[in-house]
Amino acid sequence: MDTLKRSSTVWVPTLTTLLDTMWDNIESKLASGPVSYLVPIQKFIFAFTSLCIAGADPANSPDIADKGYMRMDRWLAVQLLPSVPITTFQPLVEIFLHSFPYPYFLVSRDYNKLYKFVENEAKEVISRGQTEFKLSKEDATHNLLFILGFNAFGGFSILFPSLLSALASDKTGIQEKLRKEVREKVESGSGLSLRSVQEMDLVQSFVYETLRLNPPVPLQYGRARKDFELSSHDSVFKIKKDELLCGYQPLVMRDPKVFDDPETFVPDRFTGEKGKELLTYLYWSNGPQSGMPSGSNKQCAGKDYVTLTTSLFLAHMFLRYDSVTIANASFTAVDKPTP
Ligand code: HEM
């Protein structure tokens, strides 16, 4: 939380500068055919999270500027593969991929390069960890790299493609409505900012609905700290201290008793008074969207930054373009406003 607060003033200018660079690159390649957005978005997320969370500029390290996102991907893959659900080739997947942690040597080279990058470039944040939170330099660096790579880079790398894929599947003319809202709010206020984006109800609802149907972290685990009773709509379960609990968010957030037409992507579901009440049932961050992260509830520390950043990403796109055409995880056309 301390690291996030520290960076709140550079958050929006860094985001818009990096997004403009990303879009300029995509546009320059569009004349030769569809442009996959997966690599450009990952490069953007890597630079954005490094600069904003760690105060570390990848541009100062040629290897990291070029391959930093790939090094993160490989490091994340060995941690996530044991728990990623794979339904084909069973029971072989269970036996050979899901039964043991992967050895560190597979990614030690990548991790060491990333560690050096954070150690050299994030001196100010690491030193805050040492002075304010009494961590050793090594612990502060490992922790910062974990938040940067696992929480922030990992989470956004799943969320942004889900957002674009939701946009691609829309048949309701949502782009026009989003564009109208974004431009109205930006023109009547002080430009694109953390404040103006919070007034964009439809943009925020679109982001919430993406998180409802595609929570980037679908499984959550917790161990009971005391005996308690866990209630559902129609049953009560007795939980004993130390029992392991697992929550599966995609099921929870499609509860037909809470969400009308739960399997359908409804872009404006979270607008208006009734929509705001539904935020109590939006659990993507390991707790309700209406809740606050704290030291005792394990709710995502970056919860509000995640939804605001994703709303800013969407708003920036509809300031820059009238519409975008997306197919097979690629942009096929972008339509710029006539000057
Ligand atoms: C799309 C992006 C993100 C998603 C989907 C996400 C999701 C989550 C979830 C589900 C948890 C709970 C994990 C568990 O204990 O089961 C969590 C925890 C956490 N997240 Fe995020 N997160 C994202 C981005 C961020 C960012 C940008 C930060 C930046 C600081 C962050 C910091 C944390 C921290 C520190 C925790 C651990 C909280 C604790 O155990 O007390 N996350 N996140």
Side-chain angles (χ1 to χ4, degrees), residues 199-301:
E199 289 167 9
M200 299 177 191
D201 282 352
L202 184 60
V203 168
Q204 292 199 85
S205 176
F206 194 95
V207 171
Y208 294 145
E209 185 68 340
T210 304
L211 286 162
R212 182 182 76 83
L213 284 178
N214 311 285
V217 186
L219 290 162
Q220 257 90 58
Y221 299 93
R223 206 169 276 284
R225 290 179 193 165
K226 54 179 185 191
D227 293 0
F228 71 100
E229 290 186 341
L230 181 67
S231 308
S232 71
H233 292 299
D234 44 22
S235 310
V236 177
F237 303 88
K238 284 189 176 2
I239 309 294
K240 293 263 170 251
K241 183 171 182 282
D242 289 334
E243 274 180 350
L244 185 63
L245 299 163
C246 171
Y248 187 57
Q249 303 213 354
L251 202 62
V252 173
M253 292 195 286
R254 289 167 194 232
D255 181 348
K257 291 204 167 112
V258 175
F259 297 104
D260 297 338
D261 198 5
E263 297 296 329
T264 306
F265 189 100
V266 180
D268 61 355
R269 187 186 292 278
F270 292 95
T271 58
E273 211 158 298
K274 194 163 168 263
K276 298 280 178 302
E277 280 167 24
L278 283 179
L279 292 178
T280 338
Y281 299 94
L282 187 71
Y283 286 107
W284 70 272
S285 68
N286 204 19
Q289 182 62 26
S290 50
M292 284 290 286
S294 79
S296 58
N297 66 12
K298 285 182 69 68
Q299 189 161 6
C300 175

Side-chain angles (χ1 to χ4, degrees), residues 7-173:
S7 69
S8 59
T9 50
V10 294
W11 203 264
V12 178
T14 310
L15 181 103
T16 47
T17 306
L18 290 170
L19 279 177
D20 280 331
T21 309
M22 180 189 90
W23 286 117
D24 287 346
N25 278 333
I26 290 176
E27 271 180 45
S28 70
K29 293 182 190 144
L30 264 176
S32 345
V35 182
S36 165
Y37 52 66
L38 298 175
V39 171
I41 281 190
Q42 279 223 314
K43 281 191 165 181
F44 153 72
I45 297 170
F46 183 82
F48 172 65
T49 50
S50 298
L51 279 161
C52 282
I53 294 173
D57 190 351
N60 293 340
S61 159
D63 171 82
I64 292 293
D66 190 31
K67 302 193 194 110
Y69 75 98
M70 281 193 273
R71 298 194 184 284
M72 282 289 194
D73 282 337
R74 286 194 287 262
W75 173 56
L76 289 177
V78 294
Q79 294 175 76
L80 294 172
L81 202 53
S83 66
V84 169
I86 302 172
T87 47
T88 47
F89 304 116
Q90 291 293 6
L92 296 178
V93 165
E94 243 21 70
I95 297 166
F96 293 109
L97 294 183
H98 283 175
S99 299
F100 51 86
Y102 296 105
Y104 173 62
F105 76 80
L106 292 174
V107 287
S108 56
R109 195 177 141 76
D110 291 319
Y111 189 80
N112 288 335
K113 293 252 181 199
L114 291 166
Y115 184 95
K116 279 270 160 251
F117 163 64
V118 172
E119 187 182 35
N120 291 336
E121 296 291 329
K123 290 202 170 79
E124 194 197 322
V125 179
I126 292 169
S127 143
R128 274 187 76 78
Q130 291 175 268
T131 51
E132 300 285 316
F133 300 96
K134 310 293 170 228
L135 296 171
S136 68
K137 185 179 168 219
E138 288 70 30
D139 279 356
T141 315
H142 287 300
N143 270 298
L144 184 57
L145 180 49
F146 190 82
I147 285 178
L148 185 64
F150 201 94
N151 299 106
F153 175 82
F156 281 129
S157 293
I158 304 174
L159 179 54
F160 284 146
S162 295
L163 186 85
L164 292 172
S165 139
L167 210 54
S169 322
D170 174 73
K171 305 267 183 294
T172 67

